[in-house]
């Protein structure tokens, strides 16, 4: 992957040029980096949503004390969150950022964990058993002399009625926390807090060997376990020039699609449960178990399968695999009809979903909301079509796109995608070629020096892996693109002006998984 | 502490019944013999309590999804008396810590635990809750919830199978069944009897304390 370095002084100008003249409207990723002597900075991956053209640029500052880079948060909306993340991990100060707070860690955290010279000692950061200071009521801006300045009480002022939702709340699908300012029942302002499940995966990975890192990807977004691992395996295989067999590609593609159905079934179940329809929850889980049975038979794991490995898959498919998958493909359309009867066409469901939380197409792109959410807003963002991998350019399937961008479209996209996934599987299942399920790789896996990147379509968006290698057994820096962070970033836009009860609908249909956001 | 023979797939009944630790516990409890009336009442109360343990919905990550499966159609923990999950700690009897607990989450978990009404129980589900699991050694992960709250049952696995989770939950039921309600758990402990002093947090910054005082 080619990365163009730009001086921080020229950086703003160049980025504006890329956005305006080259139409780079999708900021795929922002990877904070510590290059050691050469400075601290960030790599930006941009894409033109029309032409699918890609550009990677980077900038860095040699001042390790306070590395300053101009912000791009006014050009791409998602950059606001991404920059907060880079500030949190690397202490990069994005000049001009409207609100530079830590995103994941507590605000009394000492040091910047992903820097190479971070001191991990327990004494600096013990487990603090008291609540965080309310310092999070302030924004950070940069004073003219270059120091970071706190502006207390600008986020919410003292007269506002603020309620707290989460981190332990059933409607947040995990441990996410919102602070909402209300006027009556209407939400005025939203502040999202992440990091309650920040496990430091990227930092641990720098100590592990590549095959060891594989195990962690399953646990990021556990409902995209196969796809996540597929992405990492693909990235490493590309870097090492390993060609996997045809059989592996078939197995991987089928497994990815099964996983997608699994995730979408869980989506329907949980969305229904959040809206109070417990029956659908039970139905969804009943059918999901059928997929888990197949997974278990082949991989040995139900939820977390650890199936893909570098160069292939862990074990060959079983003799009854094809038969079971085919039976499932026959079974599920009937059940979808049942969901439609009980839930989708229910008047209450419609009343609560139609027209609620509308995300426009341009906003979806600016926020980088890929996956079902982006497609419900009319953005053709499916990685399987944009940058085909595995067998996706050989199979015939439709990219499901809706134009309304409301909660109901987001819901329908998933229902339709289940059917498309079934179609993909049906095309492949009878033709799995004979051959090895795994090619031999070197016992110790080293990646040649350089930067590598691979993406797949996860269950809820584009999942990307970025590896910077120095030719060692473990990566110099590894970054996973969270599928959920853009979805959470746009929560504010979707919520403000809506009723508080709509938080459940909007949160449920955006379908984020928190460990994937926090990593 | 006999139990009606439950039908559980894939774990032999003999193994299921094998509970040396609990047997030892019962023997110790009954060493001094129990009064018939009190003992009978104890049994009755424990029977009731152990068969309606409601858990708090507390799932931070992957293990939580398996916990949801246990609550859903195929495994259905309601069969064994874990009828529903509660969203409020005030209404819950037990907390299933399903998932990784991070530094930022630790005070929240502690507070939730403190908010629950006695008697309360904790089950640590999965490697993460037991010891930090695959993330042990991370700068932001708590290596085991037993560092901050007492744990009654540990269920290993990553994630544990639903059968294992059920087994763990039933193990807790057994534990509840051998409690001494009268003169046992329900007795006020004297100060000398407390195992250790209460947990005192010493590293609260002055600023936080000042804020607290201002609030009051
Ligand atoms: S023990 Fe494994 S499955 Fe459970 S939360 Fe931890 S990583 Fe996830």
């Amino acid at each position: 992957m080619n990365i163009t370095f730009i001086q921080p002084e020229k950086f703003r100008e160049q980025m504006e040029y890329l956005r305006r003249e080259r139409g780079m409207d999708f900021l795929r990723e922002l990877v904070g980096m510590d290059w050691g002597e050469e400075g601290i900075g960030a790599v930006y991956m941009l894409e033109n949503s029309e032409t699918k053209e890609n550009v990677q640029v980077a900038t860095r500052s040699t001042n390790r004390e306070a590395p300053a880079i101009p912000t791009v948060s006014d050009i791409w909306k998602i950059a606001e969150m991404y920059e907060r993340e880079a500030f949190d991990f690397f202490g990069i100060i994005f000049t001009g950022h409207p609100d530079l707070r830590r995103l994941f860690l507590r605000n009394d955290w000492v040091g910047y964990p992903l820097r190479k010279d971070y001191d991990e000692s327990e004494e600096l950061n013990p487990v603090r058993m008291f609540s965080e200071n309310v310092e999070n009521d302030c924004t950070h801006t940069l004073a003219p002399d270059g120091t970071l300045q706190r502006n207390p009480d600008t986020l919410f002022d003292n007269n506002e009625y603020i309620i707290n939702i989460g981190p332990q709340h059933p409607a947040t699908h995990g441990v996410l926390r919102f602070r909402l300012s209300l006027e009556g029942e209407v939400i005025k302002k939203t502040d999202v807090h992440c990091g309650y499940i920040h496990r430091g995966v990227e930092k641990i990975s720098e100590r592990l060997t590549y095959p060891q890192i594989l195990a962690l990807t399953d646990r990021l977004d556990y409902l995209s376990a196969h796809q996540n691992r597929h992405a990492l395996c693909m990235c490493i295989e590309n870097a090492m020039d390993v060609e996997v067999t045809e059989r592996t590609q078939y197995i991987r593609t089928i497994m990815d699609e099964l996983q997608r159905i699994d995730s979408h079934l869980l989506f329907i179940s949980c969305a229904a449960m959040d809206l109070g329809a417990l029956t659908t929850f039970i139905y969804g889980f009943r059918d999901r178990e059928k997929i888990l049975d197949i997974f278990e038979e082949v991989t040995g794991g139900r939820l977390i399968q650890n199936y893909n490995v570098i160069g292939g898959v862990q074990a060959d498919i079983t003799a009854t695999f094809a038969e079971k998958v085919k039976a499932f493909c026959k079974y599920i359309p009937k059940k979808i009809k049942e969901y439609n009867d009980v839930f989708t066409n229910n008047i209450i469901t419609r009343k609560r979903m139609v027209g609620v939380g509308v995300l426009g197409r341009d906003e979806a792109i600016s926020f980088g909301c890929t996956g079902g959410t982006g497609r419900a807003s009319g953005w053709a963002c499916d990685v399987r079509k944009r940058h085909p991998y595995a067998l996706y350019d050989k199979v015939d399937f439709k990219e499901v796109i809706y134009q309304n961008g409301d909660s109901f479209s987001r819901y329908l996209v998933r229902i339709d995608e289940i059917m498309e996934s079934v179609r993909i599987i049906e095309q492949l299942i009878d033709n799995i070629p004979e051959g090895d399920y795994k090619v031999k790789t070197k016992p110790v896996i080293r990646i040649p020096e350089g930067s590598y990147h691979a993406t797949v379509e996860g269950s809820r968006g584009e999942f990307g892996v970025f590896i910077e290698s120095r030719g060692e057994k473990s990566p110099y820096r590894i970054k996973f693109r969270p599928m959920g962070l853009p979805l959470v970033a746009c929560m504010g836009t979707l919520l403000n002006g809506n009723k508080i009860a709509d938080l459940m609908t909007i949160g449920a249909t955006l379908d984020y998984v928190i460990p994937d956001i926090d990593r | 502490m006999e139990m009606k023979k439950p039908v559980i797939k894939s774990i032999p009944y003999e193994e299921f019944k094998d509970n040396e630790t609990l047997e030892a516990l019962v023997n110790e409890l009954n060493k001094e013999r129990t009064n018939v009336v009190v003992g009978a009442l104890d049994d009755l109360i424990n029977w009731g309590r152990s068969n309606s343990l409601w858990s708090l919905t507390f799932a931070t990550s992957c293990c939580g999804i398996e916990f949801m499966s246990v609550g859903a159609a195929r495994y259905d923990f309601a069969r064994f008396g874990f009828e529903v999950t509660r969203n409020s700690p005030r209404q819950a009897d037990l907390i299933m810590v399903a998932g990784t607990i991070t530094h930022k989450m630790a005070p929240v978990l502690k507070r939730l635990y403190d908010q629950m009404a006695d008697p309360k129980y904790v089950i640590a589900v999965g490697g993460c809750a037991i010891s930090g699991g695959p993330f042990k050694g991370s700068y932001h992960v708590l290596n085991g919830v037993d560092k901050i709250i007492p744990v009654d049952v540990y269920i290993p696995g990553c994630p544990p199978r639903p059968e294992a989770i059920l087994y763990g939950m039933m193990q807790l039921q057994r534990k509840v069944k051998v409690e001494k309600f009268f003169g046992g758990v329900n007795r006020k402990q004297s100060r000398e009897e407390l195992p250790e002093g209460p947990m005192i947090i010493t590293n609260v910054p002055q600023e936080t304390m000042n804020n607290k005082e201002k609030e009051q």
Side-chain angles (χ1 to χ4, degrees):
Chain A
M1 199 174 72
N2 290 326
I3 302 176
T4 322
F5 280 91
I6 306 175
Q7 290 298 322
E9 299 80 50
K10 298 227 185 72
F11 181 68
R12 263 302 297 200
E13 192 187 312
Q14 283 290 327
M15 290 306 251
E16 273 168 20
Y17 164 79
L18 284 172
R19 172 72 188 86
R20 245 192 353 259
E21 308 297 328
R22 306 261 309 266
M24 296 290 162
D25 48 2
F26 170 33
L27 176 62
R28 280 171 106 172
E29 258 180 81
L30 190 160
V31 187
M33 270 282 237
D34 178 359
W35 280 279
E37 293 284 284
E38 291 152 44
I40 291 182
V43 180
Y44 298 72
M45 292 183 208
L46 300 168
E47 181 165 315
N48 183 329
S49 66
E50 300 293 330
T51 61
K52 324 265 187 283
E53 187 192 357
N54 277 293
V55 177
Q56 291 86 24
V57 295
T59 183
R60 57 191 173 197
S61 150
T62 42
N63 178 357
R64 286 189 76 87
E65 288 302 306
I69 293 177
T71 180
V72 291
S73 57
D74 48 338
I75 310 181
W76 295 278
K77 286 189 177 153
I78 184 59
E80 189 175 330
M81 279 290 186
Y82 284 169
E83 285 176 356
R84 275 178 67 186
E85 181 193 313
F87 168 67
D88 198 351
F89 289 164
F90 292 94
I92 303 170
I93 293 169
F94 292 92
T95 50
H97 190 286
D99 176 17
L100 203 57
R101 280 175 294 156
R102 282 191 183 263
L103 180 63
F104 295 131
L105 302 173
R106 289 170 64 115
N107 48 34
D108 44 12
W109 195 266
V110 184
Y112 301 105
L114 262 80
R115 283 195 183 190
K116 290 289 171 190
D117 53 5
Y118 174 65
D119 180 0
E120 277 193 47
S121 61
E122 282 271 323
E123 290 76 53
L124 280 182
N125 290 301
V127 184
R128 297 179 175 87
M129 290 306 290
F130 49 89
S131 318
E132 217 172 338
N133 229 330
V134 253
E135 198 224 345
N136 43 22
D137 254 322
C138 56
T139 58
H140 285 84
T141 47
L142 211 72
D145 61 353
T147 50
L148 206 59
Q149 202 173 35
R150 287 173 45 190
N151 316 325
D153 279 337
T154 43
L155 202 56
F156 296 112
D157 74 45
N158 283 338
N159 305 327
E160 276 177 281
Y161 183 72
I162 301 166
I163 65 158
N164 181 65
I165 295 187
Q168 192 267 329
H169 187 278
T172 55
H173 288 213
V175 279
L176 187 61
R177 177 175 161 213
F178 296 104
R179 280 151 44 92
L180 307 170
S181 142
L182 297 183
E183 198 170 294
E185 268 196 61
V186 180
I187 301 170
K188 286 279 151 222
K189 221 185 272 171
T190 314
D191 180 33
V192 190
H193 283 252
C194 305
Y196 286 94
I197 186 77
H198 170 60
R199 308 190 267 204
V201 168
E202 287 167 10
K203 182 77 179 180
I204 315 177
S205 302
E206 290 172 12
R207 290 199 292 262
L208 301 179
T209 63
Y210 290 105
Q212 285 174 324
I213 301 171
L214 287 179
L216 300 182
T217 49
D218 283 39
R219 287 154 178 90
L220 290 173
D221 177 356
Y222 32 81
L223 295 171
S224 314
H226 271 303
Q227 292 114 323
N228 290 358
R229 221 173 145 106
H230 192 165
L232 182 56
C233 288
M234 225 160 63
C235 191
I236 298 173
E237 283 153 11
N238 291 348
M240 299 193 350
D241 260 334
V242 173
E243 179 115 19
V244 296
T245 60
E246 187 84 1
R247 187 176 177 84
T248 308
Q249 297 285 29
Y250 269 80
I251 299 175
R252 281 185 178 174
T253 314
I254 293 172
M255 282 300 193
D256 279 6
E257 292 311 311
L258 281 176
Q259 180 85 71
R260 196 180 319 282
I261 300 176
D262 164 29
S263 167
H264 287 350
L265 283 176
L266 193 110
F267 161 81
I268 299 170
S269 312
C270 290
M273 185 169 67
D274 285 353
L275 299 185
L278 206 60
T279 320
T280 321
F281 168 77
I282 303 280
Y283 282 7
F285 266 77
R286 173 196 64 194
D287 300 335
R288 192 174 158 258
E289 289 289 340
K290 297 230 171 349
I291 301 187
L292 298 188
D293 280 347
I294 300 177
F295 282 164
E296 196 182 341
E297 185 185 302
V298 180
T299 70
R302 281 163 48 88
L303 179 71
I304 286 177
Q305 302 97 351
N306 295 333
Y307 192 47
N308 287 324
V309 291
I310 299 162
V313 292
Q314 186 85 36
D316 204 358
I317 48 173
T318 52
T320 49
F321 174 73
E323 189 188 317
K324 287 204 169 152
V325 172
K326 273 191 272 184
F328 178 77
C329 288
K330 280 228 178 57
Y331 169 84
I332 198 72
K334 277 186 259 150
K335 295 297 157 185
I336 298 286
K337 193 168 166 297
E338 194 173 292
Y339 300 151
N340 287 341
D341 289 345
V342 232
F343 187 66
T344 319
N345 295 330
N346 185 315
I347 178 82
I348 304 175
T349 312
R350 301 237 164 178
K351 278 253 150 67
R352 288 202 62 179
M353 283 195 183
V354 177
V356 171
V358 180
L359 183 72
R361 183 175 185 273
D362 292 341
E363 262 175 345
I365 299 177
S366 183
F367 273 117
C369 296
T370 48
T373 306
R375 292 193 284 279
S377 302
W379 175 26
C381 56
D382 198 326
V383 184
R384 293 174 293 174
K385 291 274 186 203
R386 271 196 291 139
H387 308 287
Y389 56 97
L391 291 175
Y392 288 111
D393 46 354
K394 302 218 177 68
V395 289
D396 169 43
F397 70 103
K398 196 172 99 235
E399 185 173 359
V400 183
I401 293 175
Y402 280 82
Q403 300 299 336
N404 294 344
D406 60 349
S407 299
F408 195 54
S409 309
R410 287 195 283 275
Y411 172 81
L412 290 180
V413 165
R414 265 94 186 188
I415 295 257
D416 292 356
E417 276 189 5
I418 294 182
M419 301 311 287
E420 286 305 315
S421 294
V422 168
R423 258 184 69 199
I424 297 178
I425 296 173
E426 278 174 340
Q427 289 170 46
L428 298 176
I429 192 74
D430 283 324
N431 311 322
I432 303 178
E434 291 297 319
D436 285 338
Y437 58 88
K438 184 171 182 289
V439 293
K440 268 222 151 9
T441 49
K442 293 202 201 86
V444 179
I445 287 170
R446 285 175 212 273
I447 292 188
E449 210 161 307
S451 321
Y452 306 92
H453 184 242
T455 59
V456 298
E457 179 73 14
S459 299
R460 44 189 59 66
E462 172 173 344
F463 180 82
V465 179
F466 171 89
I467 298 179
E468 167 93 5
S469 169
R470 295 271 158 106
E472 317 223 328
K473 276 185 297 198
S474 20
Y476 183 75
R477 164 100 168 100
I478 187 162
K479 163 91 168 45
F480 301 107
R481 178 187 194 270
M483 297 174 257
L485 192 55
L487 303 178
V488 166
C490 74
M491 271 306 253
T493 317
L494 293 188
L495 285 179
N496 297 351
N498 274 317
K499 295 267 173 17
I500 187 154
D502 293 334
L503 173 84
M504 314 304 146
T505 321
I506 295 172
T509 53
L510 283 176
D511 189 24
Y512 39 71
V513 163
I514 316 295
D516 158 58
I517 301 172
D518 291 354
R519 280 159 289 148
Chain B
M1 51 152 249
E2 70 297 331
M3 215 172 212
K4 246 177 73 197
K5 188 170 175 172
V7 184
I8 290 190
K9 221 175 72 182
S10 74
I11 168 163
Y13 187 61
E14 279 59 48
E15 263 166 53
F16 187 77
K17 237 177 36 178
D18 179 30
N19 271 301
E20 280 166 34
T21 332
L22 284 181
E23 300 285 353
L25 211 78
V26 179
N27 289 341
E28 199 191 318
L29 276 174
N30 293 338
K31 215 167 48 197
E32 316 257 305
R33 311 248 177 78
T34 328
N35 179 317
V36 178
V37 182
V38 176
L41 273 175
D42 257 351
D43 279 351
L44 184 70
I45 289 172
N46 287 339
W47 171 76
R49 275 228 323 261
S50 65
N51 286 313
S52 78
L53 288 167
W54 289 1
S55 69
L56 178 76
T57 343
F58 184 84
T60 61
S61 49
C62 351
C63 281
I65 302 289
E66 281 301 73
F67 178 60
M68 274 159 80
S69 303
V70 183
R74 185 183 290 180
Y75 297 98
D76 190 14
F77 53 45
R79 290 180 295 163
F80 306 109
F82 298 92
E83 194 57 35
V84 282
T85 58
R86 295 276 92 185
N87 298 328
S88 157
R90 306 281 185 206
Q91 302 164 343
D93 301 304
L94 86 124
I95 177 165
M96 300 275 292
V97 185
T100 327
I101 299 299
T102 61
H103 280 216
K104 200 168 174 178
M105 196 65 194
V108 182
L109 173 63
K110 179 86 171 82
R111 181 181 305 177
L112 282 169
Y113 178 75
D114 290 344
Q115 281 173 342
M116 281 163 62
D118 266 323
K120 51 191 171 186
Y121 308 94
V122 178
I123 300 185
V125 184
C128 285
I130 296 174
S131 67
F135 307 103
K136 191 175 161 68
S138 159
Y139 57 87
H140 201 241
V141 170
L142 186 69
N143 294 338
V145 285
D146 48 8
K147 294 227 160 64
I148 52 169
I149 53 176
V151 177
D152 291 281
V153 178
Y154 297 87
I155 309 178
C158 184
R161 291 188 54 81
E163 287 90 348
I165 298 184
L166 275 179
Y167 178 66
M169 292 171 93
M170 296 175 83
Q171 206 68 345
L172 179 70
Q173 284 187 323
R174 291 177 171 146
K175 227 176 152 174
V176 174
K177 279 215 176 106
V178 299
E179 254 167 20
K180 279 198 166 178
F181 193 75
F182 292 105
V185 280
N186 230 20
R187 179 177 52 99
K188 202 167 176 198
Q189 281 182 318
S190 67
R191 187 153 285 280
E192 292 81 58
E193 273 179 308
L194 283 179
E196 300 148 24
M199 186 165 157
I200 297 170
I201 296 160
T202 49
N203 56 355
V204 183
Q206 198 52 41
E207 214 178 324
T208 315
M209 294 301 281
N210 295 346
N211 281 346
K212 286 253 161 62
E213 271 158 33
K214 245 186 277 163
E215 273 168 31
Q216 280 159 7

